[in-house]
Amino acid sequence: MAKLTHNDLLVLLAAIGMLLILSRLVAELGKKFKLPIVMGEILLGILIGPTVFGSISPEIFSELFPKTGGAKIALDGITSLAVIMLLFVAGMEVQLNVVLKQGKAAIYTSFTSMIIPFILGFTIVWYFPGIFHFEEKYHLVYALFFGIAMSISALPVITRILMDLNLFKTNVGMVVIAAAIFDDLTGWLAFSLVLSMIGQEGEITSIWYTIGMILGFGLFMLIIGKWIINKILPWIQNKLSWPGGVLSICLGCCFLGAAFTENIGLHAILGAFITGIAFGDSVHLHEKAREIIHQFVTNVFAPLFFVSLGLRVNFIQNFDPVLVLIVLFLAVVCKVFGASLGAYMGGLSKREAVAVGFGLNARGAMEIILGTLALNAGLIDERMFVALVVMALITSIISGPLMKKFIGT
């Protein structure tokens, strides 16, 4: 029976301890320069990964972060749990009633900020496949993935930017949040479909089955599941130990939802994301409970995931400047144009509409998670992964200053 050896356990514990401490120190240093925490964590991974430390001292690097063995499997398992919990937390921030309250401006912005980047992203891959590197059998799947990658936003990053600019409760802020919620929900549902298509080679019957399962699970969780959660949450928060009770039940349901979607042929992230929406949309979930779950996941598990990105890819060897520029250009132009057009059609002024466009252009952690899952599934190569990570970081950095410039705050 396979098990962790003494050396495997030693390496795993040392790696986790080192990653947590160093990621916090680097992230705090980055905050002094107003950089997103996730950027500090990824930069740390690049420094201690094969890009820098692995090139300087490959023997010590392979001892600390082996490519095979029990320690490698265990660390991969922990980072997989981190992705699932990150999507659960992202789902908790999705408030569907916010979208409905914003009226015409939110509807137009939500639609155009998703559909225009998707169409342009899909088209560039479909008609110019030579720019990218993928197996011919994945032509359709890759085009769908790239369209989604151009469309998705990062709700947690956008929320933080709006709060920093004191725009969260303004008309512009609410339109941005409503559109980001729609983008995230639609994007992750679509990405779950794309992941399930890998290996099916586009079989129509399998695709329709997958779409039916996605919609069925989503409707069940957001109607019946949400009703059950609303009924049991008050009892959980009042009768069980605080805050351990609510933390255990919420994360337990997160993993059960993830296990269910993984079992039916969808990715585990979808179950976690939809379960997060069901819990986050409940009026009975205390704000303090949300904060505890958020802090636990983002400060313990998220750093392990984002640092691990730099451990698996050499960012210098796989940095393709042409591909990076193409991805960054398409991402910014598609998203800003699409979102700005919708906001302007919805009644906002030109300057406000452009501010909305740049607000929705922040990709942050969500884009990086998207790229990681596609890389793990074998859909994209390391060059595209690096391009997506660079694009996510740059769009997150420029989003706030450009919003501020156009909104005049």
Side-chain angles (χ1 to χ4, degrees), residues 309-322:
L309 300 180
L311 300 179
R312 67 180 73 190
V313 175
N314 189 314
F315 276 69
I316 293 177
Q317 287 182 2
N318 293 290
F319 186 87
D320 184 336
V322 175

Side-chain angles (χ1 to χ4, degrees), residues 49-266:
T51 308
V52 180
F53 181 65
S55 298
I56 297 171
S57 182
E59 296 84 7
I60 298 177
F61 173 74
S62 61
E63 285 288 327
L64 287 172
F65 305 105
K67 293 183 178 181
T68 58
K72 164 68 173 173
I73 295 171
L75 188 59
D76 285 348
I78 291 170
T79 54
S80 295
L81 287 178
V83 172
I84 289 168
M85 286 188 280
L86 277 167
L87 265 294
F88 177 75
V89 169
M92 289 182 67
E93 297 189 33
V94 173
Q95 296 177 334
L96 298 176
N97 61 319
V98 172
V99 180
L100 301 175
K101 286 180 180 178
Q102 298 310 306
K104 185 173 70 171
I107 293 171
Y108 284 150
T109 305
S110 299
F111 182 76
T112 57
S113 68
M114 194 75 190
I115 197 67
I116 291 178
F118 176 82
I119 291 173
L120 293 176
F122 180 93
T123 302
I124 197 76
V125 172
W126 190 256
Y127 289 104
F128 303 97
I131 298 174
F132 308 92
H133 309 277
F134 54 85
E135 296 181 47
E136 181 56 35
K137 66 177 181 179
Y138 287 150
H139 196 167
L140 173 61
V141 179
Y142 198 101
L144 290 170
F145 162 77
F146 194 69
I148 295 166
M150 295 298 98
S151 306
I152 202 166
S153 295
L155 182 58
V157 175
I158 290 170
T159 301
R160 180 60 184 270
I161 290 170
L162 292 174
M163 287 180 173
D164 288 346
L165 295 177
N166 294 319
L167 293 173
F168 190 79
K169 294 184 179 180
T170 64
N171 184 44
V172 169
M174 285 292 98
V175 169
V176 171
I177 288 294
I181 289 171
F182 175 84
D183 288 1
D184 271 11
L185 179 58
T186 308
W188 285 108
L189 289 173
F191 185 57
S192 297
L193 172 63
V194 169
L195 285 179
S196 69
M197 290 170 63
I198 297 175
Q200 295 177 5
E201 297 186 12
E203 295 178 19
I204 300 300
T205 53
S206 298
I207 293 171
W208 282 112
Y209 167 79
T210 304
I211 292 173
M213 294 301 290
I214 289 172
L215 295 177
F217 175 74
L219 290 173
F220 174 83
M221 281 302 300
L222 297 179
I223 298 174
I224 299 174
K226 182 181 171 183
W227 180 82
I228 295 172
I229 289 168
N230 274 327
K231 291 293 183 183
I232 65 171
L233 259 181
W235 183 86
I236 292 170
Q237 294 182 132
N238 293 327
K239 300 297 183 181
L240 300 186
S241 301
W242 175 265
V246 68
L247 185 65
S248 299
I249 299 297
C250 286
L251 290 180
C253 290
C254 159
F255 293 135
L256 287 175
F260 177 77
T261 52
E262 185 73 25
N263 183 58
I264 63 176
L266 305 175

